[in-house]
Amino acid sequence: MALSALAAAGVVVVLAERFYRELEVRLAGAILDLFTTSGVYVAPDRESVYFGLTSSTPFGLRMTPECSSAFLLLPLLVVTMAMMYFRPSNARRLFFSLGISAVVVVLVNQLRILTIVGLVHGLGTDEGYYWGHTLLGSMVSVFGGAVSIVLFVWLATRKKKA
């Protein structure tokens, strides 16, 4: 039953990834609104967030499928399924580990967006976007994805205290 639920969750993530990106963009807009005074606008139907609206260089980011954290969740689901297949008695711990790691993946992707925004603000649109999206943003995603998987495995396999 649990394996079927995890497989279904994976299918939902793939099939509803556009809706998921819309939610991610809304979250990014809410977070940016906390850190900026130059205006933020979210266009969820275009999976886009615009910032710096009252500045001389407004900028928009569009969340494409490859920039979403949706597909970073899939490896976590697959690892959870594999571990649950071999140790179904650990289902509760595995679901807990999956939940924590999924939150980390989502937050890391938001950190990636904040990194891009910060560099665009600091270095200008061309150079800031290049460094924020291509180099540092990718590093944040790769490092964050690795941290989430290591965290998942650690939470799922650690021994209980005696």
Side-chain angles (χ1 to χ4, degrees):
M1 184 77 147
L3 287 173
S4 297
L6 289 168
V11 169
V12 167
V13 166
V14 171
L15 294 178
E17 70 81 27
R18 182 180 170 126
F19 176 72
Y20 182 88
R21 282 187 289 139
E22 290 175 5
L23 293 175
E24 273 190 304
V25 165
R26 288 179 194 270
L27 179 59
I31 292 170
L32 284 173
D33 215 18
L34 296 173
F35 291 103
T36 182
T37 58
S38 59
V40 174
Y41 174 74
V42 175
D45 56 323
R46 291 186 302 239
E47 303 94 33
S48 299
V49 60
Y50 301 91
F51 57 93
L53 301 178
T54 60
S55 72
S56 60
T57 54
F59 199 79
L61 293 173
R62 182 164 190 221
M63 176 87 58
T64 59
E66 59 273 7
C67 292
S68 172
S69 66
F71 296 114
L72 296 174
L73 295 174
L74 291 176
L76 289 172
L77 289 168
V78 170
V79 170
T80 304
M81 288 173 66
M83 292 177 79
M84 193 165 304
Y85 178 79
F86 291 109
R87 296 250 174 141
S89 60
N90 287 349
R92 182 179 169 134
R93 178 178 280 206
L94 289 169
F95 278 113
F96 173 77
S97 302
L98 176 62
I100 296 296
S101 298
V103 168
V104 168
V105 165
V106 170
L107 293 177
V108 162
N109 205 48
Q110 293 300 313
L111 177 61
R112 179 176 183 262
I113 293 168
L114 287 174
T115 301
I116 295 168
V117 170
L119 288 171
V120 164
H121 178 72
L123 300 175
T125 56
D126 292 337
E127 195 171 343
Y129 182 75
Y130 170 77
W131 285 102
H133 187 264
T134 307
L135 185 63
L136 288 177
S138 296
M139 287 174 52
V140 167
S141 290
V142 168
F143 182 73
V147 165
S148 71
I149 288 183
V150 169
L151 177 65
F152 171 82
V153 171
W154 178 74
L155 288 171
T157 61
R158 67 190 169 115
K159 301 285 185 211
K160 292 181 181 177
K161 293 182 181 179

